């Protein structure tokens, strides 16, 4: 069953509840990638993968923070929905970014 609508017919932030743990996991994946690239730079030479992975990690961090705030501010449905939508957009940018980094890294472009 879905949750009852809040004040003014607004629903509680559902996406934000999924974005927060997933974005946190993606921060860990980005951090692991940075560490692995730093270890491999000794053997394969410098690359920009760690820099781009750091940028992607920040996108996921912003997504996690905004989704957290969205769930905490359920009493203010308009603000909560806005934060949830912005968190969703940052999360999508992070996914596109990490996929781009993986693609470019696989073809040794970066």
């Amino acid at each position: 069953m879905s949750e009852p609508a809040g004040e003014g017919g607004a629903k509680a932030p559902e996406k934000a509840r999924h974005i927060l743990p997933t974005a946190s996991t993606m921060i860990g994946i980005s951090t692991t990638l940075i560490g692995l690239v730093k270890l491999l730079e000794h053997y394969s030479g410098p690359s920009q993968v760690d820099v781009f992975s750091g940028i992607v990690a920040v996108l996921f961090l912003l997504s996690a923070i905004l989704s957290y705030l969205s769930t905490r501010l359920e009493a203010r449905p308009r603000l909560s929905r806005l934060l949830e939508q912005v968190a969703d957009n940052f999360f999508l940018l992070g996914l596109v970014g990490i996929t781009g980094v993986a693609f470019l890294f696989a073809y040794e472009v970066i």
Side-chain angles (χ1 to χ4, degrees), residues 25-107:
T25 301
M26 294 306 291
I27 291 169
I29 289 171
S30 299
T31 305
T32 302
L33 178 61
I34 292 168
L36 290 173
V37 167
K38 289 293 186 184
L39 287 173
L40 291 176
E41 277 184 349
H42 178 69
Y43 301 105
S44 63
S47 74
Q48 296 296 312
V49 176
D50 53 344
V51 174
F52 292 117
S53 295
I55 293 168
V56 169
V58 170
L59 289 173
F60 285 124
L61 175 64
L62 291 171
S63 178
I65 289 170
L66 292 172
S67 64
Y68 172 77
L69 290 173
S70 175
T71 60
R72 296 294 292 168
L73 296 173
E74 286 180 357
R76 299 177 65 188
R78 245 190 205 161
L79 179 59
S80 180
R81 278 194 313 272
L82 175 66
L83 291 173
E84 181 181 60
Q85 181 151 12
V86 175
D88 193 35
N89 290 336
F90 276 122
F91 185 77
L92 184 59
L93 281 174
L95 287 177
V96 169
I98 199 75
T99 303
V101 168
F103 181 79
L104 295 173
F105 186 49
Y107 287 99

